Amino acid sequence: MAARNRTEVTEFILLGLSSLPEMQPVIFGIVLAMYLVAVIGNALLVMVARSDTKLQTPMYFLLSQLSFIDIFLTTITVPQMLVHTLSVNRTISFNCCMVQLFFFMTVGSMEGHLLAAMAYDRYVAICDPLRYSAIVSRHLCLRITLTSWVVVSLNSLLYSVLVTRLTFCGNQITHFFCDITPLIQLSCTRPVVNEMLIFTEGVAVVVSPFFFILCSYARIGVAIMRMHSLAAMRKALSTCSSHILVVLLLYGSVIRMYLRPSSTYDLDQDRQVAIFYTVVTPMLNPLIYSLRNQEVKGALRRLGMKLCLSGNIQPGLQANQKWQHISREKGINK
């Protein structure tokens, strides 16, 4: 990091979603509700995918990883934003800002890689179903996940180090968390190297999964068109619909935010888009996969029945033990 950065900019001020005081309680209530739905929904999906024996497949392993990523993504940004919304002091230290930037970029990029792995899973399941179990295994999914973590972590570390070397003319960030776009806008000089990386190396790491998804679905579309059975076509489309919707939600906002020239940046609009992919999309993902997936809905019903049975059995055991205790006391008194 340059010495000037360390001495002159030791902390940043996050301006949040709105500067209007009367809007802060409204924003706090809405964002808190969405955050709780996102965390609880994704945590429930992880628990169901891990505990239900019928969901012990590569697809649901990847789905549980995606839900874990969504929990992590919202927790990196939202709790701090909620505190700042009702607080006068909205500062964040320079080091904490860089740490938040690193983790946000890592987790955000990882979500795209997981969606690409899920697209490959659907491609093999539809285009080569007889060899699915031989090609796609839990071990393969684990290797893909670990490799993706390494790639996106190194990519985010590179970006974070380059940002620390910028010279900032101020410390007010027009955003509710430390993101790379408002930080570049805050730089005194045009960070040519950073912008080149966004459109070269950033495209390779972030957008390449999107092109992989497009290629996978192009092959899936060809395979579906060749199916002679209408039932088989409906089944194939139903297995892909949830994934396609999640991909559109994620990459629609990512392309709108990052893959455009810096001259077109509008930080006020970017804040609104950012709340969409940091809170709204993670909140919708478990709803999409649970409402449109019969296997997940069945697993949720089985989990609910199991919890209800355990709750009913426990009072029954307590009542039985109490009755036995009373019977023994009566026997002793006699």
Side-chain angles (χ1 to χ4, degrees):
M1 184 192 310
R4 184 178 177 184
N5 288 355
R6 290 184 180 275
T7 55
E8 293 189 7
V9 180
T10 59
E11 63 182 18
F12 292 102
I13 299 174
L14 297 170
L15 299 183
L17 282 174
S18 174
S19 59
L20 299 176
E22 61 272 15
M23 290 298 298
Q24 304 308 316
V26 178
I27 293 173
F28 179 87
I30 294 174
V31 174
L32 177 61
M34 291 192 297
Y35 174 67
L36 292 176
V37 172
V39 171
I40 294 172
N42 283 288
L44 187 61
L45 203 55
V46 171
M47 183 171 62
V48 168
R50 296 287 179 86
S51 61
D52 196 285
T53 56
K54 294 186 178 181
L55 300 185
Q56 301 302 309
T57 63
M59 178 63 181
Y60 291 105
F61 169 78
L62 295 173
L63 180 58
S64 66
Q65 295 297 310
L66 181 65
S67 295
F68 172 75
I69 288 295
D70 284 337
I71 295 173
F72 199 4
L73 181 66
T74 55
T75 304
I76 291 170
T77 58
V78 175
Q80 174 192 261
M81 184 192 70
L82 292 174
V83 173
H84 285 179
T85 300
L86 299 181
S87 174
V88 177
N89 183 13
R90 298 185 177 184
T91 60
I92 180 173
S93 68
F94 186 91
N95 292 332
C96 289
C97 184
M98 295 302 107
V99 170
Q100 186 182 54
L101 174 66
F102 168 76
F103 280 112
F104 175 78
M105 294 188 66
T106 301
V107 175
S109 301
M110 186 62 192
E111 188 163 9
H113 285 250
L114 283 174
L115 290 174
M118 294 170 73
Y120 177 72
D121 175 271
R122 294 298 85 198
Y123 159 72
V124 177
I126 294 173
C127 299
D128 199 357
L130 297 179
R131 298 178 57 214
Y132 174 80
S133 57
I135 297 175
V136 182
S137 63
R138 191 181 182 89
H139 181 64
L140 175 64
C141 294
L142 184 60
R143 282 192 298 172
I144 292 174
T145 303
L146 292 176
T147 303
S148 298
W149 273 116
V150 173
V151 171
V152 299
S153 297
L154 293 176
N155 173 68
S156 300
L157 181 62
L158 175 61
Y159 274 94
S160 301
V161 170
L162 288 175
V163 170
T164 62
R165 300 180 65 85
L166 295 176
T167 301
F168 299 102
C169 291
N171 67 340
Q172 291 190 352
I173 301 177
T174 311
H175 216 306
F176 58 90
F177 69 96
C178 292
D179 198 4
I180 189 167
T181 302
L183 286 170
I184 289 177
Q185 292 290 95
L186 202 60
S187 175
C188 296
T189 57
R190 184 179 178 183
V192 179
V193 176
N194 297 58
E195 292 183 354
M196 288 179 60
L197 277 173
I198 290 176
F199 286 99
T200 55
E201 189 265 352
V203 169
V205 174
V206 178
V207 182
S208 57
F210 180 62
F211 286 117
F212 182 84
I213 293 169
L214 291 179
C215 293
S216 298
Y217 275 107
R219 298 289 300 274
I220 290 173
V222 172
I224 291 176
M225 294 301 294
R226 292 176 178 175
M227 292 179 180
H228 301 289
S229 172
L230 185 60
M233 293 179 64
R234 288 178 178 175
K235 183 178 180 181
L237 289 173
S238 65
T239 59
C240 299
S241 58
S242 299
H243 182 260
I244 292 174
L245 186 55
V246 172
V247 169
L248 292 176
L249 287 173
L250 174 66
Y251 278 100
S253 55
V254 167
I255 293 173
R256 166 67 177 80
M257 278 290 295
Y258 301 107
L259 300 179
R260 55 195 173 95
S262 58
S263 59
T264 63
Y265 287 152
D266 186 337
L267 295 180
D268 289 329
Q269 293 182 6
D270 288 351
R271 285 185 290 182
Q272 301 172 8
V273 177
I275 200 69
F276 184 83
Y277 69 78
T278 56
V279 184
V280 178
T281 300
M283 178 188 69
L284 293 177
N285 285 354
L287 297 177
I288 292 170
Y289 278 107
S290 60
L291 294 177
R292 299 181 62 87
N293 191 307
Q294 297 298 326
E295 292 180 337
V296 174
K297 287 195 288 187
L300 288 171
R301 284 194 296 267
R302 288 190 293 272
L303 179 63
M305 291 177 61
K306 190 181 297 184
L307 293 175
C308 290
L309 288 174
S310 62
N312 291 332
I313 291 172
Q314 187 64 27
L317 289 174
Q318 293 177 354
N320 188 32
Q321 292 173 356
K322 184 177 181 180
W323 174 254
Q324 291 177 357
H325 179 69
I326 294 173
S327 300
R328 284 197 297 269
E329 287 183 348
K330 288 183 177 181
I332 293 172
N333 293 334
K334 289 181 180 180

